[in-house]
Amino acid sequence: MSLRIALLGLLEAVGPASGYDLTKKFEHSLNHVWQAGHTQIYPELVKMAADGLVEASSEGVRGRKIYTITSEGARQLHTWLVEHEPVFVVRNETALQAFLLPLLSTEEAIAVVERIKAGYAARLAVLDCQPADLGQYALRLGLAQVRTGLEWAEETLAALRSR
Amino acid sequence: MSLRIALLGLLEAVGPASGYDLTKKFEHSLNHVWQAGHTQIYPELVKMAADGLVEASSEGVRGRKIYTITSEGARQLHTWLVEHEPVFVVRNETALQAFLLPLLSTEEAIAVVERIKAGYAARLAVLDCQPADLGQYALRLGLAQVRTGLEWAEETLAALRSR
DNA sequence: CGGTACATGTAAGACGTTACATGATTCA
DNA sequence: TGAATCATGTAACGTCTTACATGTACCG
């Protein structure tokens, strides 16, 4: 469902696009929100066309297919955006590592948290030089979450070191 | 992989347990880190036993089966905890909603962010009365992330209202 | 004796990843 | 002409959800 919404949202926001274009959008502007590769996107667009949510133009240069959102697609997107209830399904490998830190020695735990900290820092660097055109609100949320992770790593290192 | 790690970690931390016990742990102490229901946990334990990571005792009362982590299981758990590289795969429906907020009218966007804010507040209430025995570090991280989400909602509401 | 919690499972389908496969265009 | 990028797809496999299915023990 969410993949559909993301694709509809991009088509609504940036206008008609190919599967290839949409894949690039996922890599660059949507990557801190949702992830999908072309092997998931191409078949989904075909199904969405079958369901009347998008329309495919005839093939252009290099077999390029341009998809356009339909009014039914726009309607379903709007309904989802306005009515979707927030669900908190968390599946976070880093948090799992953090959960199990007490099973490690202090030295091992410090090394692990150092690595996590470096990961958050790298992530922050990526988000910091991200254009804030569409998705400005989500980018702020993403930045805040990553900074929180970085702070957690610093506090946890301090706690482990004073043990 | 991560489901295995979570199960091995619980068995290592709390000692031998049944699939039912582990399912309850997922519901109560691991729910802000990883999620899995009994329909995923029972078959996974069978596979893990086949792979020599856990051992099942003969059946107890009410068909209860107690699993114990093996030394090979403990070894693989330790290796993962120490060597796992952080990956940032984000698939966050709330962030997707936030990403697409600009497609809504100000009134609609405010209503959506109010709902998200209430969701974060409810989540915070759940985490706040969570025992911090095992998983103390992850709980701190979870709490910090939820508070950050709540702050983001408040700032975003302020920005939308002054528009 | 009836409801709740205990306790385990299977199966279908949706969703996501990785590997494989193909061909066109552009630019150095 | 060779490499990079554009552009699309399939198939196998793994993970996760939902629905179905069954039976035991305890407590009021």
Side-chain angles (χ1 to χ4, degrees), chain A residues 19-20 38-39 42 62-65 91:
Chain A
Y20 189 85
H38 81 276
T39 60
Y42 290 136
R62 271 185 287 199
R64 186 177 167 87
K65 292 179 195 170
R91 233 167 235 125

Side-chain angles (χ1 to χ4, degrees), chain A residues 99-110:
Chain A
F99 189 93
L100 299 173
L101 277 181
L103 297 179
L104 298 178
S105 71
T106 302
E107 290 72 34
E108 287 172 326
I110 286 173

Side-chain angles (χ1 to χ4, degrees), chain B residues 16 32 35 59 67-68 77 82 88 91-92 101 111 113 115 118 127 149 151 154-155 157:
Chain B
H32 61 291
Q35 256 146 292
E59 305 201 354
Y67 288 92
T68 308
L77 169 64
V82 169
F88 286 85
R91 231 168 238 125
N92 184 336
L101 278 181
V113 180
R115 188 122 42 87
L127 289 186
E151 282 162 25
E154 279 159 6
E155 283 164 21
L157 281 173

Side-chain angles (χ1 to χ4, degrees), chain B residues 20 38-39 42 62-65 91:
Chain B
Y20 188 86
H38 81 276
T39 60
Y42 289 138
R62 272 183 289 194
R64 186 177 166 86
K65 292 179 195 170
R91 231 168 238 125

Side-chain angles (χ1 to χ4, degrees), chain B:
Chain B
M1 194 64 233
S2 296
L3 175 58
R4 275 187 177 210
I5 297 300
L7 291 169
L8 289 173
L10 285 176
L11 289 173
E12 176 86 18
V14 306
S18 67
Y20 188 86
D21 296 335
L22 294 166
T23 302
K24 292 293 158 195
K25 283 281 172 195
F26 267 84
E27 277 169 28
H28 298 117
S29 52
L30 215 62
N31 68 90
H32 61 291
V33 164
W34 205 265
Q35 256 146 292
H38 81 276
T39 60
Q40 213 186 339
I41 291 169
Y42 289 138
E44 187 65 28
L45 285 168
V46 171
K47 281 189 230 160
M48 287 163 75
D51 292 344
L53 306 179
V54 297
E55 270 171 3
S57 75
S58 56
E59 305 201 354
V61 71
R62 272 183 289 194
R64 186 177 166 86
K65 292 179 195 170
I66 303 295
Y67 288 92
T68 308
I69 190 168
T70 63
S71 54
E72 173 61 14
R75 200 189 59 72
Q76 288 198 17
L77 169 64
H78 187 264
T79 301
W80 187 90
L81 281 178
V82 169
E83 292 182 1
H84 180 68
E85 291 290 335
V87 280
F88 286 85
V89 185
V90 184
R91 231 168 238 125
N92 184 336
E93 288 192 351
T94 299
L96 179 56
Q97 242 175 332
F99 190 92
L100 299 173
L101 278 181
L103 298 179
L104 298 178
S105 71
T106 302
E107 291 70 36
E108 287 172 327
I110 287 173
V112 167
V113 180
E114 287 282 15
R115 188 122 42 87
I116 291 173
K117 182 182 159 184
Y120 278 125
R123 193 72 198 155
L124 185 59
V126 170
L127 289 186
D128 250 336
C129 58
Q130 186 110 1
D133 47 345
L134 176 68
Q136 45 174 319
Y137 298 110
L139 184 57
R140 279 171 173 281
L141 178 57
L143 276 167
Q145 298 285 14
V146 171
R147 286 204 191 94
T148 299
L150 202 51
E151 282 162 25
W152 170 85
E154 279 159 6
E155 283 164 21
T156 302
L157 281 173
L160 288 169
R161 285 193 174 121
S162 69
R163 212 160 70 168

Side-chain angles (χ1 to χ4, degrees), chain A residues 50-109:
Chain A
D51 292 345
L53 307 178
V54 296
E55 271 171 2
S57 74
S58 56
E59 304 200 354
V61 70
R62 271 185 287 199
R64 186 177 167 87
K65 292 179 195 170
I66 303 294
Y67 289 92
T68 309
I69 190 168
T70 63
S71 55
E72 173 61 15
R75 199 190 59 73
Q76 287 199 18
L77 169 63
H78 187 264
T79 302
W80 188 91
L81 282 177
V82 169
E83 292 183 1
H84 180 70
E85 291 290 335
V87 280
F88 287 85
V89 185
V90 184
R91 233 167 235 125
N92 184 336
E93 289 193 350
T94 300
L96 179 56
Q97 242 176 331
F99 189 93
L100 299 173
L101 277 181
L103 297 179
L104 298 178
S105 71
T106 302
E107 290 72 34
E108 287 172 326

